[in-house]
Amino acid sequence: MKRYTDANTYDNNIPSVVTIGTFDGVHIGHKKIIEHLIEGAKKDGLESVILTFFPHPRMVLQQDSNIKLINTIDERIQILEKTGLESLVIHPFTKEFSRLTAGEYVQQMLIDCLNVRHVIIGYDHRFGRNRNANITDLASYGIQNNFTVEEISKQDIEDVVVSSTKIRQALSEGNITKANKYLGYNFMLTGRVVKGKELGRKLNYPTANLHIKETYKLIPKNGVYIVQSDIDSKTYFGMMNIGTNPTVHGTHQTIETHFFDASFNLYEKKIQIEMLKRIRDEKKFDSIDQLQEAMQQDEDFSRDYINAQV
């Protein structure tokens, strides 16, 4: 997959089929659209292109927006690379860009930059300054500029019964099972392992303390989860605690993972952890002994679950 960080750098010698959107999560509904895009491009001898934007428009236009996204931009790229897509264009979203009229947007982005011949778009897609143009307007621009517009109907979208909003809600509730089903892959957290208070080591449960630099990344509900990670070409399973460690009077949220049957130094390494199942809520125990007992029960449950899956 070719990747462009600005539509102006796209090689527009090959006419394209384009779909446009945020594609947060790149979930099973998105993949249905992408498969259709790729099939159509191959049939007509055109380039399959996704046009997306970063930062998310709400981050730019609503400074107080606390929107949380399913994927970081790097995770989104990673998932899209596996789809068979030929070109991904991630255009910078700025206030200046948002002020383009619908006509300017079509001319500059779709025609001049992407050499578009066909656009596949959702029935409710809006574009241009103040998002005042819709799919009917886009079709009119298409007639004037020699490209066709294909609508993804409301029925097609609702048939999938999945949306990025529903996945965000499931994650916020800690329902990893539902989120993974909608995504079509395991939800992931990607970050750098940093030094913590090393309390897990004192409890015989050493943990990797994950720091995620992207503050817009959605973190699932506090609690204990079964996880897996590929480290040095080997898959390790473990359990993750997301929370404030109330038993030892913690004050801020941490993401700590204990990997089973592993002995390695992960400090300063960038790792990606996939979340498989939620075990329980985070709880304040009356003593360290009770906390250790609960962690042993979590480990036993996790190992039984993993052995049943593998």
Side-chain angles (χ1 to χ4, degrees), residues 19 73 87 89-90 94 132 145 148 174 185 204 223 241 265 271 277 280:
T19 190
I73 189 65
S87 288
V89 179
I90 307 169
T94 63
N132 59 4
N145 295 281
T148 53
Y185 60 89
N204 293 320
N241 185 80
N265 184 354
I271 63 172
K277 183 176 177 62
R280 62 173 174 84

Side-chain angles (χ1 to χ4, degrees), residues 5 46 48 64 66 113 129-130 137 146 153 155-156 159 164 200 224 249 253 262 270 273 281:
T5 54
L46 303 171
S48 57
D64 59 344
N66 61 350
C113 290
R129 187 183 301 165
N130 299 322
D137 300 309
N146 194 33
S153 71
Q155 184 64 44
D156 282 345
D159 276 351
S164 298
V224 182
H249 310 294
Q253 186 186 64
K270 185 176 182 180
I273 303 176
D281 286 340

Side-chain angles (χ1 to χ4, degrees), residues 110-127:
L110 301 184
I111 299 170
D112 294 346
C113 290
L114 302 182
N115 192 7
V116 70
R117 290 290 178 268
H118 186 59
V119 180
I120 302 172
I121 207 72
Y123 71 97
D124 57 351
H125 182 74
R126 303 194 70 85
F127 63 99

Side-chain angles (χ1 to χ4, degrees), residues 69-285:
L69 301 182
I70 301 163
N71 303 135
T72 65
I73 189 65
D74 289 338
E75 289 167 351
R76 200 188 322 169
I77 292 166
Q78 174 188 336
I79 299 161
L80 286 169
E81 281 179 334
K82 299 175 182 176
T83 63
L85 179 73
E86 291 175 293
S87 288
L88 172 64
V89 179
I90 307 169
H91 192 77
F93 192 91
T94 63
K95 286 185 177 179
E96 291 72 26
F97 178 78
S98 74
R99 295 188 185 109
L100 292 179
T101 66
E104 290 169 340
Y105 170 83
V106 169
Q107 183 64 49
Q108 294 179 27
M109 298 294 293
L110 301 184
I111 299 170
D112 294 346
C113 290
L114 302 182
N115 192 7
V116 70
R117 290 290 178 268
H118 186 59
V119 180
I120 302 172
I121 207 72
Y123 71 97
D124 57 351
H125 182 74
R126 303 194 70 85
F127 63 99
R129 187 183 301 165
N130 299 322
R131 301 180 72 245
N132 59 4
N134 58 26
I135 193 165
T136 303
D137 300 309
L138 187 60
S140 297
Y141 285 117
I143 292 170
Q144 298 166 27
N145 295 281
N146 194 33
F147 66 84
T148 53
V149 176
E150 178 181 351
E151 176 184 316
I152 305 162
S153 71
K154 184 176 182 180
Q155 184 64 44
D156 282 345
I157 291 172
E158 290 182 349
D159 276 351
V160 178
V161 199
V162 62
S163 68
S164 298
T165 301
K166 288 182 180 179
I167 296 168
R168 291 188 198 109
Q169 181 65 33
L171 292 169
S172 297
E173 295 169 354
N175 195 335
I176 287 293
T177 303
K178 179 188 282 189
N180 289 349
K181 179 182 176 183
Y182 284 166
L183 288 168
Y185 60 89
N186 296 326
F187 176 78
M188 65 191 77
L189 295 173
T190 309
R192 185 170 55 87
V193 178
V194 298
K195 278 191 176 292
K197 295 181 179 179
E198 300 190 347
L199 293 170
R201 191 174 301 278
K202 296 173 185 175
L203 298 172
N204 293 320
Y205 280 96
T207 60
N209 192 0
L210 195 70
H211 171 71
I212 299 172
K213 67 177 181 178
E214 294 88 354
T215 56
Y216 61 84
K217 171 73 176 185
L218 193 159
I219 308 300
K221 182 181 179 181
N222 285 1
V224 182
Y225 296 85
I226 303 172
V227 300
Q228 71 178 46
S229 183
D230 289 337
I231 299 170
D232 297 331
S233 303
K234 182 178 178 181
T235 300
Y236 292 91
F237 294 93
M239 56 190 191
M240 171 188 286
N241 185 80
I242 300 175
T244 59
N245 298 305
T247 303
V248 292
H249 310 294
T251 56
H252 64 280
Q253 186 186 64
T254 59
I255 303 170
E256 298 174 283
T257 302
H258 171 72
F259 290 107
F260 303 141
D261 310 316
S263 57
F264 39 47
N265 184 354
L266 295 175
Y267 286 133
E268 298 303 324
K269 280 193 176 182
K270 185 176 182 180
I271 63 172
Q272 188 168 87
I273 303 176
E274 299 178 25
M275 305 183 69
L276 307 181
K277 183 176 177 62
R278 192 170 199 268
I279 304 175
R280 62 173 174 84
D281 286 340
E282 185 180 46
K283 180 181 177 182
K284 181 177 181 179
F285 295 94

